[in-house]
Amino acid sequence: MEIKDIDIFEGGKRPFVIAGPCSAESEEQVMAVASSLATMGVGLFRAGIWKPRTRPGCFEGVGARGLEWLANVKKEYSMPVTTEVATAVHVEAALAAGIDVLWVGARTVTNPFAVQEIAEALRGVDVPVLVKNPVNPDIDLWVGAFERLYNCGVSRLGAIHRGFSAYGEKFYRNAPQWQIPLELKNRFPHLFLVCDPSHIAGKSELVQELAQQAMDLNFDALMVEVHHEPACALSDARQQITPAALGTILSGLVHRSSSGEDEEFAAFRNRIDAIDKELVALLAKRMEVSREIGSVKREKGVTVFQPFRYKETMERCALMGARHNLDSDVVKEVFEAIHSESIRQQLLIVNGEKNV
Ligand code: PEP
Ligand code: MN
């Protein structure tokens, strides 16, 4: 793919800022948010009109009548506008209303039929499209969406990283798994990379640190959900921030300056850091399971250490390592350390948290 630059995103300062409410709720709300953002250097105004809600009965967006409000934002404040499209009908309506940039949402990207339909509707139309990552951490599904659009002649493409969903208790609404967008950038260095800290965070108080992390990882832009009264928002109330809070976040961003030489290494280092972060999270998860099995062992009166299981684990890991061309001594050392910590954790459980 020969991905082309998107002129709207060119020339300004880093990060390029896309902001606006999760959903367009009323003309007054849209204009109220837009009037604040217009003075803050926001380069693209966002608002969802067709909302893909997880459960029925939630606010599903105002529909096509919201397009007029976006057209008013564009006219009144000279700010380009963007909205989410999920069907060919949405695409046609958005284009007819003069929407400058379209985005494809995370749920839609998981469905190749839907992406193909959108791509076909865009054949012969020169509009930039931003593609959110699919809700599941599948980079090929994400790439597939770019390819479907590109094959229909859409070459001004950008990616929005909004995190990945996971089951159970979680700190972020959607796990960042930074290594996935960084791998995407590695495969397509020309791709404009946007981070959506709002949907990763799920909570307004986490937006700032995620925005900073995105900057540290060299993202080009931020897409932030902003509402003039977040508590009253009809969707994603918990993660939206006020225009004033956005101002604080933007002015507080630390910009990492790197010399030309450093830049050459930055992309590699970012990927390494992201993988390390993931490794630590995985290790923590493994220890959590160790503690769980520890309490079952305690209940059932089973010994913590079982030589047969230990031997089998080490052999299995050595084999997996060999398949990935990893040095067998290194694999052995790493898994011995993991296993010994796992045993320590289980002993803590079995002995009722007494020091081991
Ligand atoms: C949104 O941007 O409001 C949205 C619905 O996002 P996502 O597709 O990332 O869930
Ligand atoms: Mn939202």
Side-chain angles (χ1 to χ4, degrees):
M1 288 192 287
E2 259 186 60
I3 295 167
K4 296 210 188 89
D5 292 338
I6 304 175
D7 43 357
I8 289 174
F9 300 144
E10 300 272 288
K13 55 179 192 60
R14 221 181 128 264
F16 182 88
V17 182
I18 305 168
C22 175
S23 301
E25 299 169 2
S26 67
E27 181 155 24
E28 296 68 42
Q29 172 246 10
V30 167
M31 297 313 273
V33 180
S35 73
S36 304
L37 297 184
T39 61
M40 294 171 50
V42 167
L44 181 63
F45 183 80
R46 66 147 282 158
I49 281 167
W50 299 285
K51 299 301 297 176
R53 306 316 303 278
T54 302
R55 306 276 304 273
C58 301
F59 176 63
E60 289 182 340
V62 294
R65 71 196 168 102
L67 291 170
E68 223 174 281
W69 310 338
L70 287 179
N72 282 346
V73 167
K74 192 172 157 174
K75 203 163 67 203
E76 191 94 5
Y77 300 110
S78 307
M79 242 189 320
V81 292
T82 182
T83 199
E84 173 174 352
V85 291
T87 67
V89 172
H90 295 167
V91 170
E92 275 144 32
L95 293 174
I99 301 298
D100 303 279
V101 175
L102 306 180
W103 95 73
V104 185
R107 289 166 186 79
T108 307
V109 177
T110 54
N111 180 351
F113 289 124
V115 175
Q116 191 62 37
E117 178 188 319
I118 292 167
E120 298 291 350
L122 285 168
R123 206 181 272 284
V125 181
D126 191 25
V127 70
V129 180
L130 300 175
V131 181
K132 287 203 169 192
N133 63 260
V135 285
N136 52 322
D138 183 342
I139 192 169
D140 289 325
L141 200 52
W142 201 1
V143 170
F146 290 112
E147 287 169 342
R148 286 176 197 281
L149 288 159
Y150 188 80
N151 291 345
C152 285
V154 183
S155 55
R156 294 192 292 159
L157 292 162
I160 305 174
H161 169 230
R162 48 79 76 198
F164 301 89
S165 60
Y167 183 70
E169 263 308 299
K170 49 214 173 182
F171 184 68
Y172 295 116
R173 178 180 177 194
N174 292 292
Q177 304 212 30
W178 296 104
Q179 78 279 14
I180 299 177
L182 296 176
E183 168 65 24
L184 186 77
K185 183 80 176 172
N186 188 42
R187 288 200 209 173
F188 305 100
H190 231 77
L191 198 61
F192 188 77
L193 198 55
V194 183
C195 177
D196 171 349
S198 305
H199 284 89
I200 297 175
K203 302 176 198 74
S204 52
E205 61 272 24
L206 296 178
V207 171
Q208 169 155 36
E209 64 182 59
L210 286 162
Q212 181 62 55
Q213 284 176 33
M215 287 302 93
D216 294 341
L217 294 172
N218 274 332
F219 277 64
D220 301 300
L222 297 172
M223 180 191 251
V224 185
E225 285 192 340
V226 179
H227 195 289
H228 63 314
E229 285 177 293
C232 304
L234 298 181
S235 61
D236 289 349
R238 193 61 189 81
Q239 72 195 28
Q240 300 205 58
I241 60 173
T242 59
L246 178 69
T248 308
I249 290 177
L250 294 179
S251 59
L253 283 178
V254 178
H255 297 275
R256 220 175 46 163
S257 61
S258 47
S259 74
E261 199 200 348
D262 281 349
E263 250 162 32
E264 231 181 294
F265 296 104
F268 291 107
R269 292 200 177 119
N270 290 338
R271 286 166 61 203
I272 287 172
D273 291 353
I275 291 170
D276 285 351
K277 205 167 158 188
E278 203 61 21
L279 280 174
V280 171
L282 275 175
L283 209 53
K285 204 175 260 178
R286 194 190 189 285
M287 292 310 155
E288 216 175 280
V289 179
S290 294
R291 285 193 292 274
E292 280 171 28
I293 198 178
S295 58
V296 177
K297 283 175 179 171
R298 181 175 60 179
E299 271 165 36
K300 300 201 164 167
V302 173
T303 59
V304 163
F305 182 69
Q306 285 149 348
F308 168 77
R309 168 74 183 151
Y310 173 73
K311 190 166 169 281
E312 187 249 306
T313 302
M314 294 310 264
E315 282 169 359
R316 185 166 31 83
C317 293
L319 206 69
M320 284 192 294
R323 282 202 201 116
H324 289 277
N325 289 330
L326 292 171
D327 184 277
S328 63
D329 288 341
V330 173
V331 172
K332 191 164 170 271
E333 222 172 282
V334 169
F335 278 93
E336 268 169 6
I338 291 176
H339 186 265
S340 115
E341 172 61 4
S342 170
I343 292 290
R344 196 182 71 85
Q345 293 285 341
Q346 291 185 46
L347 285 174
L348 279 172
I349 296 288
V350 170
N351 292 307
E353 298 293 328
K354 279 192 236 85
N355 276 342
V356 177

